[in-house]
Amino acid sequence: MKRNGDIVNCGIYGVLDHTGVWVNGNIFELSGKGLIRSVSPDRFLDNRSGKKIYVACDETFRPLAGEEVAQRCIDNLYGLREYHLINNNCHQFVLEMLTGEKSKITSFNELNEALSALFLTNINWHEAN
């Protein structure tokens, strides 16, 4: 079910969510040090409470993916940003890769609202297989 450009997430200690983008068998993420990197699915889950990866899907559980999203990730690989848990986090990175524009979202809920507005559908997170 994982395609280039899929938006993915996992839980962090039952309180937060970490998001990234699936590209060529790895996940592009914004690390806590501000590095845009490509990590294996196992590394994406490492040191987090979530043991499963979920994919953002529409109401019919079809993943919301796009090759242009994957290409933006590749173009930004190894870029550095000043990471901040609220003001410059993984959710902002994911939305920027999706739209090509910086955003002011701060939370996973706001990311879901933005995805819903962009794709004109309710967002369902379905376990990646």
Side-chain angles (χ1 to χ4, degrees):
M1 164 186 270
K2 295 166 277 201
R3 302 178 305 168
N4 280 348
D6 279 349
I7 308 303
V8 297
N9 94 338
C10 70
I12 302 176
Y13 308 118
V15 179
L16 300 171
D17 291 273
H18 181 54
T19 53
V21 179
W22 187 268
V23 181
N24 298 328
N26 283 327
I27 298 169
F28 280 62
E29 66 175 8
L30 178 63
S31 77
K33 296 193 185 296
L35 177 66
I36 298 168
R37 63 186 183 177
S38 173
V39 297
S40 71
D42 287 340
R43 176 64 189 96
F44 186 73
L45 293 171
D46 191 39
N47 290 324
R48 298 188 173 110
S49 62
K51 301 297 178 210
K52 296 179 181 175
I53 295 172
Y54 296 88
V55 177
C57 298
D58 66 13
E59 293 171 333
T60 63
F61 294 100
R62 188 181 55 172
L64 309 172
E67 279 295 327
E68 68 281 356
V69 179
Q71 188 58 53
R72 274 192 208 102
C73 287
I74 292 167
D75 292 345
N76 283 277
L77 184 61
Y78 303 123
L80 281 173
R81 298 173 180 215
E82 191 162 325
Y83 179 85
H84 186 276
L85 183 62
I86 305 290
N87 297 320
N88 194 13
N89 59 33
C90 61
H91 310 312
Q92 291 173 349
F93 165 73
V94 166
L95 189 56
E96 182 182 336
M97 294 301 102
L98 187 64
T99 65
E101 299 176 7
K102 293 190 184 286
S103 71
K104 295 288 186 188
I105 67 167
T106 60
S107 69
F108 182 66
N109 285 340
E110 287 177 312
L111 175 62
N112 279 303
E113 290 170 6
L115 292 173
S116 183
L118 279 170
F119 291 100
L120 304 174
T121 185
N122 290 325
I123 305 301
N124 294 290
W125 291 90
H126 190 66
E127 185 178 335
N129 40 354

